[in-house]
Amino acid sequence: GVVDPRTGHVAFCPNLGWKDVDFAGEMRKHIDKPVYMDNDATVAGLAENVAGVSAGAHSSVFLTLGTGVGGGIVIGGKVWSGFHGVGSEIGHMIIEMDGNPCNCGNRGCLERYCSATAIILAARAAVNQYQDSAIMVKCEGDPMKINAKMVFDAAKEGDELGLKLFNEYVKALSTTIVNIIHFLDPEVIALGGGVSKAGDF
């Protein structure tokens, strides 16, 4: 969510339902140490720039593809989060005008098309029209059991629905990467998070 690293205050975290939470203050009640905090994807992006595939790069963007979509931007060895701390909220870039509603309150956010949650929701909505899909076999006929790995595995097997959902996902991710190149032109763009385990496929 949106955190002010200077104060440790979380302004908004839609996936946890937090608004206006003094998280660092709460942590200090239990831990007798200095508390430093930032958005998880921002910190992951810094770690990737220090010790990962983008180590040594002047500028890098790290995309975390998991339950949601996060981003970490590093320029000249320093995290860039913008003036108000929301500069790396890549998951909330709008990629479709008036698109799917997002937990953040906007519509058409990347996170609604390019996260594990988005894949699962799209599969659940479509699977009844594809009763012969390998996804139905993998979820034992219960759409509520569908996870992103099932969809990717079905796509790898050549399943029609799996490939349709995977291609929609790749289109959203590719659009995002092109947009990042156009507005920032980083030296490296790295992908991480659970969904990236789909690997070269």
Side-chain angles (χ1 to χ4, degrees):
V2 179
V3 60
D4 185 341
R6 296 165 294 187
T7 65
H9 189 90
V10 178
F12 182 52
C13 185
N15 292 335
L16 296 177
W18 289 3
K19 286 186 180 177
D20 210 24
V21 175
D22 180 14
F23 187 75
E26 287 298 314
M27 291 296 289
R28 287 187 194 102
K29 291 178 184 177
H30 305 283
I31 301 172
D32 187 26
K33 298 285 180 191
V35 176
Y36 302 95
M37 59 183 289
D38 208 323
N39 175 279
D40 60 342
T42 299
V43 175
L46 179 60
E48 194 68 32
N49 187 264
V50 170
V53 298
S54 57
H58 174 267
S59 57
S60 61
V61 175
F62 183 59
L63 292 174
T64 59
L65 308 170
T67 304
V69 176
I73 301 171
V74 178
I75 301 173
K78 296 186 185 296
V79 166
W80 173 254
S81 297
F83 184 78
H84 297 99
V86 297
S88 61
E89 287 289 345
I90 295 169
H92 297 290
M93 260 191 333
I94 295 172
I95 63 166
E96 183 177 339
M97 296 295 289
D98 301 319
N100 295 337
C102 181
N103 289 339
C104 76
N106 286 328
R107 298 183 74 90
C109 292
L110 172 67
E111 192 163 291
R112 292 297 288 118
Y113 301 88
C114 211
S115 63
T117 304
I119 295 164
I120 292 165
L121 291 173
R124 285 179 184 164
V127 79
N128 287 330
Q129 296 172 354
Y130 293 82
Q131 288 292 321
D132 295 334
S133 172
I135 297 169
M136 283 298 273
V137 174
K138 293 176 187 307
C139 74
E140 300 171 340
D142 182 358
M144 296 309 292
K145 291 182 180 177
I146 293 173
N147 62 43
K149 184 178 185 308
M150 291 175 187
V151 175
F152 284 135
D153 286 347
K156 289 176 183 179
E157 294 166 11
D159 179 74
E160 182 183 1
L161 177 59
L163 284 168
K164 178 180 182 295
L165 295 169
F166 179 78
N167 288 332
E168 288 172 0
Y169 177 87
V170 169
K171 182 177 180 182
L173 180 59
S174 300
T175 300
T176 301
I177 291 172
V178 169
N179 285 335
I180 291 169
I181 291 168
H182 283 255
F183 81 75
L184 193 60
D185 187 25
E187 186 177 346
V188 176
I189 297 175
L191 307 179
V195 177
S196 70
K197 290 179 183 175
D200 290 344
F201 182 77

